[in-house]
Amino acid sequence: MPSHASKDGGPECGNPYDILGVELGAADAEITKAYRKLALKLHPDKQRQDVAEGEAADLAKRFHDVKEARSFLLDPEHREDRRKYDAKLRSTRARRVEDARREQSMTERRKRMREELAANERDAAAGASKKRYRSGKGVVGAASADDDDEVVETLRRKGKQMRENYSAKAASDEAVHRARQKMDASERLERRQVRVKWSRSKVGKSHSEHSLAELLSSFGTVESVELVGAKGNAALITFADESSCGPCVDAYMDSDVMRASLVGKRKEEERSRPV
């Protein structure tokens, strides 16, 4: 039986999909097939008699990890754990794809600006070279040189402005990216939080952080408890997984002792959901 000691809600052995070499959301039959293939290869009875001690220990651990991964993904008692773990993996992967897309978009814009700046600097250099070639050709040459001076100066001013624009744009993009990452992190945290408020007269004694964590652990792992408000009868609960929030709110919906509510955007989403 897997021991769920990892912070991501999966088995202690690590990502069970990676261990078995299957994709996230793989069918039970595919998981079973991968497990049997690896178990046959790694089983202690299948190893050479002269295998080194260190290698034997490594093979034994891999065999144990394969069994643990299979148990986590297929055993009925871990079905809810697997559902939560899969949801977390999908969320993490989607966030990474979006971050990569934003970074790529920023990189392409910067590349275009650098190319435009380089082109203008080449034009300015070409204009200066043309001016030197024409110098010393009399009145007509002097007039042409004056024209070239104006063109070169215009190109230089334009190049300087583009460099300034590029620097400002790069700084702005970086600031927006950092702000978006900070906002995304805050929103992800809020999705794992509920606010609870209780009646002190009906509870009998005020709750502590420890008593709240123990009480609400039935809905999932409680990551932190923060007592809030001046009256001492409210707290902000952070679960390890956002799927714990809904059942917690539902459980205390009709209670006259304690109420729980979602926070941030999840609260707004709940209010706007059609009845």
Side-chain angles (χ1 to χ4, degrees):
M1 180 182 295
S3 55
H4 302 285
S6 63
K7 293 182 179 180
D8 60 4
E12 190 177 27
C13 63
N15 187 319
Y17 295 103
D18 289 346
I19 290 171
L20 293 175
V22 296
E23 293 294 324
L24 171 63
D28 290 358
E30 186 179 353
I31 294 170
T32 300
K33 181 179 179 181
Y35 164 73
R36 288 175 176 170
K37 182 178 179 181
L38 287 170
L40 183 63
K41 176 182 177 182
L42 298 170
H43 196 282
D45 293 344
K46 298 294 182 179
Q47 307 310 315
R48 306 188 317 272
Q49 295 296 321
D50 61 345
V51 66
E53 183 178 346
E55 184 181 354
D58 180 63
L59 289 169
K61 183 181 184 308
R62 289 179 60 193
F63 181 60
H64 173 270
D65 289 349
V66 164
K67 292 193 296 180
E68 189 173 22
R70 180 259 171 218
S71 176
F72 180 82
L73 295 178
L74 296 183
D75 288 354
E77 63 263 34
H78 303 306
R79 185 174 292 116
E80 181 62 16
D81 292 328
R82 179 187 175 184
R83 185 190 68 76
K84 293 178 181 179
Y85 180 73
D86 286 359
K88 190 167 186 177
L89 279 184
R90 290 189 179 96
S91 176
T92 300
R93 291 184 180 183
R95 185 169 66 252
R96 287 175 179 170
V97 169
E98 178 60 17
D99 287 345
R101 185 194 67 77
R102 290 173 179 167
E103 184 64 29
Q104 180 64 25
S105 177
M106 290 171 61
T107 300
E108 290 174 353
R109 288 199 299 271
R110 291 171 181 171
K111 182 180 178 182
R112 286 195 298 270
M113 292 186 72
R114 283 197 300 267
E115 289 173 347
E116 291 175 7
L117 177 58
N120 277 279
E121 289 177 339
R122 285 196 300 271
D123 289 344
S129 176
K130 188 176 181 182
K131 174 198 167 192
R132 288 193 298 271
Y133 174 76
R134 288 182 176 179
S135 64
K137 290 189 175 182
V139 176
V140 175
S144 298
D146 290 341
D147 291 341
D148 287 342
D149 281 343
E150 185 176 347
V151 170
V152 170
E153 184 60 29
T154 298
L155 287 171
R156 283 176 176 164
R157 285 198 301 268
K158 187 175 180 181
K160 180 181 179 182
Q161 185 63 49
M162 287 193 68
R163 282 193 296 271
E164 293 173 352
N165 290 345
Y166 172 75
S167 297
K169 178 64 175 174
S172 175
D173 285 347
E174 186 64 27
V176 169
H177 185 60
R178 285 198 302 267
R180 184 174 289 135
Q181 284 185 320
K182 184 176 181 180
M183 180 181 65
D184 289 348
S186 176
E187 290 178 0
R188 289 196 298 271
L189 177 63
E190 286 181 344
R191 298 191 74 84
R192 296 190 289 115
Q193 293 179 323
V194 295
R195 180 185 174 91
V196 296
K197 188 174 182 180
W198 58 92
S199 168
R200 287 180 295 178
S201 61
K202 293 182 179 179
V203 168
K205 62 178 182 178
S206 187
H207 276 298
S208 66
E209 294 178 353
H210 176 74
S211 65
L212 285 169
E214 191 174 83
L215 175 66
L216 300 178
S217 62
S218 59
F219 303 106
T221 302
V222 176
E223 196 171 272
S224 66
V225 177
E226 179 186 357
L227 298 176
V228 297
K231 297 182 178 179
N233 66 331
L236 187 64
I237 313 298
T238 302
F239 286 103
D241 193 283
E242 66 177 76
S243 62
S244 302
C245 298
C248 177
V249 172
D250 292 343
Y252 291 102
M253 184 178 297
D254 299 319
S255 173
D256 60 351
V257 177
M258 185 163 72
R259 291 294 180 92
S261 61
L262 301 172
V263 300
K265 283 194 172 183
R266 288 196 76 181
K267 186 174 183 179
E268 297 171 9
E269 292 168 2
E270 191 67 23
R271 285 176 175 173
S272 62
R273 185 177 300 170
V275 179

